[in-house]
Amino acid sequence: MDRTEEYTALLRDLEELPPALAGTVGRAKAKRRRLRLRRCLAPAGSAAAVFAAFVLAVNLWTPFALACGRVPILKELAAAVAFSPSLKTAVEHDYVQYIGQSRTDNGITVNLEYLIPDRGQLLFFVTVTGPEEMTHVMVHPTCTDGEGNKLEGYSASSQSIEPGVLSNAFSLTASRPDAVLPQVLHLTCQVSWRSGLREPDAVVEFAFPLDTALSSQGEIIEVGQWLELDGNRIYVDTLELYPAHARLLLEEDPDNAETLGGLDFYLTDGLGNRYEDGSASGTVSWGASYWFESPFFSPSREFTLHITGVEWLEKGREYLPVDLNTGEALAEPPEGISVSARREGNGTVSVAFYGPQSPGADETHYLFYQICPMSYRAPDGTNVDSLGMSHYDADALWWGTPDEQPLPEGYFIEEHSFSNYPWDTIEMGLCFTRRTYLQAPLALAIP
Amino acid sequence: MTEQEYIQRAEALKPRLYRAALLYLGGEAPAVDAVDEAVYRGLLHYKKLRQPEFFDTWLTRILLNACNTELRRRRRELAVAELPETAAEEFDALPLREAIRRLPGELRAVVVLRYFQGLTLAETARALGLPPGTVSTRQRRALALLRLELTEED
């Protein structure tokens, strides 16, 4: 067959379309619904956010090891983890516990299919089906051990998922290194799809033994090196490598003028593979540990850490006072960030930070970052609760109001809202006072 | 453009987007993922499209961004090394499909869009943000490497 014949044959082969392509528009609409939901509702911590990221403390009780055979890996699961290189690799290595339990309540069926566990987190993959009008759904777990004791040392988070699609509906994340798992895990899952209801739409319960042979795996690499980073000193302590995620542990020199607010980095191994920061469960950092895609299954143990950006919070500038009458900041805001505030007619107060998205953002890639960590103080020093916080891109600030003002291309807004706030000023907590992008990444070889 | 119009046009373009993604990424599942991502991003932004007559190249460009992101993210799994333009013998020895995947990135994009997605030279130039002359040059170089005798009108 010559090249022209090959070309003709290839064109013919390409005419065949996979059945999965039929659902593209439906999946796009469902994903947009989830995006809108995330934009509208507050993240973890806001009591009002029924459908927002949901966090609860749970206990751990008895350690136990359970042997588990290899599990049947469905194509569906491979598709559900395709977004994460770490999870994809973990699944390819059969690093999965098959659960395969189904429960129904009030016309809603929850299939608890798979668990990807490691020492730092448990990711649950679930399919939920129910009424036709159910366009999205959240599953909130309450976790106990075999004796009904609430678990400690782990927190749970949930995300809105599309009905009928196998998805990582909720996760448990270890909040301390000595957290251990029980022999048997009991889950009481509240299932909600209609916002505004006090009661969940369904409640289902699961119980299953945990495969601690999987969750006990991990490797700690001591680094022990100081770094001069952008005018401050950082101690790179250890790398913790787990099958489904990895952590970089840092410490700071107490004499630094600024505290470390955030870090952009990636890791490479001796084979040239690259592991990005962030994790499949959405966790970016936890205390002094920064999460990244795991090189656990890489045959290479020659790593290089590449730091590409850093956020610093100047000591003494942890809060920014804002005048709610004039809408102006009463001190210097973070570098490159502007602030505005307005009172609504219904007594609601809104404070907005706005600034350029991170480098690399374009009209199809939003790169927002957190400016205020949702900590606020009133003038008398008491803590203030917010209604919620949202990030969004917009052409204008206070769109559709008399205060509307245009924003430059590529800007985003971080907006915080407060109900019936009586004071004239508010102190907004800050994640950083300056951000630095390193043109040439700072590289650190890890022996 | 209304949402209904966007959906109709995206549905019509979807098979061509899939073919391009398949040649780019080399597998059915990642190709479907890339089309999904492109259609989703398009759904978020179709209102900003000022010239609907450029819909196909606009969505194709979004698809290429999705494919490139996917390639970067899955570098380990895909691990398909590009061959240099001097490797004529290696290209000859490869089946056409594989040879296309191992073309240098800038040549592969032109070949995929021109001869598998069916864009004209001008549309390809617009989708890639390049002058038509550059696209024409790359097209000639790519066809020579692949030993494919297709005219600019094909």
Side-chain angles (χ1 to χ4, degrees), chain A residues 342 344 392 394-406:
Chain A
R342 73 185 304 271
E344 311 285 347
Y392 52 95
D395 302 329
L397 179 66
W398 309 129
W399 187 84
T401 73
D403 299 326
E404 180 176 332
Q405 57 173 290

Side-chain angles (χ1 to χ4, degrees), chain B residues 31-140:
Chain B
V32 171
D33 286 348
V35 175
D36 276 5
E37 186 66 13
V39 171
Y40 164 67
R41 292 180 195 170
L43 187 61
L44 294 183
H45 295 281
Y46 68 89
K47 287 178 182 167
K48 290 184 179 174
L49 182 62
R50 295 189 183 91
Q51 295 171 284
E53 65 269 31
F54 295 134
F55 178 87
D56 288 7
T57 53
W58 171 74
L59 198 52
T60 299
R61 194 167 182 159
I62 293 176
L63 176 84
L64 293 184
N65 283 339
C67 288
N68 287 329
T69 302
E70 192 70 12
L71 282 175
R72 281 196 298 273
R73 207 162 59 166
R74 299 182 179 194
R75 193 171 294 161
R76 273 185 305 161
E77 286 78 11
L78 294 172
V80 178
E82 293 176 0
L83 290 171
E85 287 191 55
T86 50
E89 287 184 10
E90 282 88 336
F91 278 110
D92 281 351
L94 289 170
L96 179 60
R97 187 174 190 151
E98 187 63 18
I100 292 167
R101 284 191 65 207
R102 302 191 66 174
L103 280 172
E106 72 274 16
L107 303 189
R108 185 175 61 234
V110 170
V111 166
V112 168
L113 297 189
R114 285 286 286 117
Y115 297 108
F116 293 92
Q117 208 195 336
L119 297 190
T120 65
L121 194 139
E123 289 171 335
T124 303
R126 177 172 286 279
L128 296 174
L130 294 171
T134 304
V135 172
S136 181
T137 305
R138 290 182 183 179
Q139 177 177 291
R140 276 198 297 276

Side-chain angles (χ1 to χ4, degrees), chain A residues 54-60 115-125 139-145 151-158 168-175 179-182 184-188 208 210 245 247 281 283 286 291:
Chain A
F54 173 81
V55 178
L56 68 144
V58 288
N59 273 317
L60 275 189
L115 165 64
I116 299 182
D118 71 18
R119 201 186 291 175
Q121 64 180 1
L122 305 173
L123 304 178
F124 294 86
F125 288 80
V139 182
H140 307 303
T142 302
C143 310
T144 56
D145 65 11
L151 302 183
E152 263 180 15
Y154 276 72
S155 55
S157 57
S158 303
N168 174 206
F170 57 92
S171 309
L172 296 181
T173 302
S175 53
V180 287
L181 293 166
V184 176
L185 190 62
H186 286 251
L187 299 176
T188 302
F208 51 90
L210 277 173
H245 84 290
R247 303 180 187 198
S281 63
T283 305
W286 195 301
W291 291 37

Side-chain angles (χ1 to χ4, degrees), chain A residues 39-305:
Chain A
R39 284 185 180 182
C40 291
L41 297 172
S46 170
V50 176
F51 282 88
F54 173 81
V55 178
L56 68 144
V58 288
N59 273 317
L60 275 189
W61 205 245
T62 332
F64 180 76
L66 174 78
C68 180
R70 291 160 77 88
V71 297
I73 303 303
L74 296 179
K75 194 178 173 187
E76 245 189 318
L77 179 61
V81 300
F83 67 94
S84 162
S86 286
L87 293 186
K88 189 168 181 292
T89 309
V91 169
E92 285 167 0
H93 285 79
D94 290 341
Y95 197 85
V96 176
Q97 180 176 346
Y98 177 65
I99 299 171
Q101 294 186 11
S102 179
R103 302 284 184 273
T104 300
D105 179 41
N106 198 24
I108 296 174
T109 299
V110 180
N111 296 300
L112 182 54
E113 302 279 11
Y114 297 100
L115 165 64
I116 299 182
D118 71 18
R119 201 186 291 175
Q121 64 180 1
L122 305 173
L123 304 178
F124 294 86
F125 288 80
V126 166
T127 308
V128 183
T129 52
E132 207 173 66
E133 59 271 29
M134 185 170 80
T135 55
H136 59 268
V137 62
M138 285 190 82
V139 182
H140 307 303
T142 302
C143 310
T144 56
D145 65 11
E147 297 172 350
N149 301 300
K150 272 198 164 185
L151 302 183
E152 263 180 15
Y154 276 72
S155 55
S157 57
S158 303
Q159 61 177 338
S160 176
I161 64 168
E162 182 182 352
V165 178
L166 184 68
S167 309
N168 174 206
F170 57 92
S171 309
L172 296 181
T173 302
S175 53
R176 59 175 199 239
D178 59 344
V180 287
L181 293 166
Q183 295 178 18
V184 176
L185 190 62
H186 286 251
L187 299 176
T188 302
C189 297
Q190 296 189 347
V191 186
S192 308
W193 65 273
R194 285 176 291 186
S195 59
L197 295 186
R198 282 172 180 257
E199 299 298 321
D201 294 290
V203 178
V204 292
E205 294 189 8
F206 298 95
F208 51 90
L210 277 173
D211 181 359
T212 47
L214 292 179
S215 57
S216 63
Q217 291 197 40
E219 179 182 346
I220 293 179
I221 297 175
E222 303 288 341
V223 182
Q225 294 189 52
W226 281 100
L227 267 185
E228 291 290 339
L229 180 59
D230 195 29
N232 292 295
R233 274 164 52 84
I234 297 296
Y235 183 71
V236 183
D237 189 2
T238 52
L239 288 183
E240 294 181 4
L241 310 185
Y242 304 111
H245 84 290
R247 303 180 187 198
L248 168 69
L249 271 70
L250 303 177
E251 290 181 18
E252 299 172 56
D253 187 333
D255 292 335
N256 286 346
E258 300 163 302
T259 55
L260 186 62
L263 196 72
D264 293 328
F265 67 97
Y266 62 92
L267 196 82
T268 52
D269 65 14
L271 303 173
N273 298 314
R274 178 169 161 151
Y275 306 90
E276 303 289 347
D277 55 2
S279 74
S281 63
T283 305
V284 175
S285 64
W286 195 301
S289 73
Y290 291 80
W291 291 37
F292 61 102
E293 297 286 359
S294 179
F296 182 81
F297 291 107
S298 168
S300 169
R301 281 300 179 263
E302 293 174 14
F303 297 120
T304 304
L305 174 67

Side-chain angles (χ1 to χ4, degrees), chain A residues 3 6-7 27 31 363, chain B residues 36-37 45 96 115 146:
Chain A
R3 276 296 203 219
E6 259 193 284
Y7 173 65
R27 288 190 291 274
K31 198 170 173 182
E363 66 173 14
Chain B
D36 276 5
E37 186 66 13
H45 295 281
L96 179 60
Y115 297 108
L146 298 172

